Amino acid sequence: MRKHRRLRTLVVDGTAWHWTVRQRVLPAYEDCRLSLSFFTEGYRAGTGRRLTLVFAPGDRRIVSNDYFEAGAVIRLPDHEYLNLHAPGTARRLLDAAAPALDRHPAVRDVEVDGWPYFDRVVDGRPEAGAQASPASASR
């Protein structure tokens, strides 16, 4: 069985990004979330940064719970699909969303809605409507 919470690494332009996918499954589907988090070396020591893309279910937006494979995010009606556990998907989403860190240089934890980046990756659309907000402090 795959360990869905394992820590993986991508190296982009000489920078090592560790990444993980977290799934929150609750009885009320609208409260379910999938989060794809990237963080740099030193994050746990207080010197790095974290970027989290949050995918919540919504109008024409589906996140996996018990009915789809873990890590699946799906857009309707065209049934476009990404699996957040796939390294290629993670890399494309990191490339699309990393500029959010530049917009908030003093914020250590940046959390963004993942759906605009889904659209950008799948459709090649320019970034639109992606709002970043500071996340809570690390545990």
Side-chain angles (χ1 to χ4, degrees):
M1 179 173 192
R2 176 193 280 176
K3 291 183 179 181
H4 293 294
R5 295 183 118 190
R6 74 178 175 177
L7 189 62
R8 300 170 88 179
T9 304
L10 289 169
V11 178
V12 180
D13 297 329
T15 300
W17 289 91
H18 301 290
W19 61 284
T20 188
V21 177
R22 304 281 174 146
Q23 184 171 11
R24 184 176 77 181
V25 177
L26 296 172
Y29 176 68
E30 63 273 6
D31 295 329
C32 294
R33 301 286 182 270
L34 274 174
S35 298
L36 174 61
S37 294
F38 300 95
F39 56 94
T40 59
E41 290 290 331
Y43 176 77
R44 291 192 173 140
T47 59
R49 298 183 74 198
R50 179 173 60 187
L51 172 63
T52 302
L53 284 73
V54 178
F55 295 88
D59 185 39
R60 301 178 184 255
R61 306 292 185 165
I62 298 171
V63 300
S64 62
N65 54 13
D66 292 333
Y67 300 107
F68 299 101
E69 74 178 301
V73 288
I74 303 165
R75 180 180 68 192
L76 298 175
D78 59 3
H79 299 285
E80 287 292 341
Y81 164 94
L82 291 175
N83 184 331
L84 302 182
H85 290 290
T89 296
R91 170 63 193 265
R92 291 190 329 260
L93 287 167
L94 174 61
D95 289 346
L101 290 170
D102 296 336
R103 289 191 295 273
H104 302 278
V107 179
R108 188 165 174 253
D109 293 293
V110 176
E111 185 174 286
V112 296
D113 175 4
W115 289 112
Y117 299 105
F118 176 104
D119 293 337
R120 186 171 183 200
V121 164
V122 170
D123 300 335
R125 292 181 188 171
E127 183 177 355
Q131 296 295 317
S133 62
S136 59
S138 66
R139 292 177 212 125

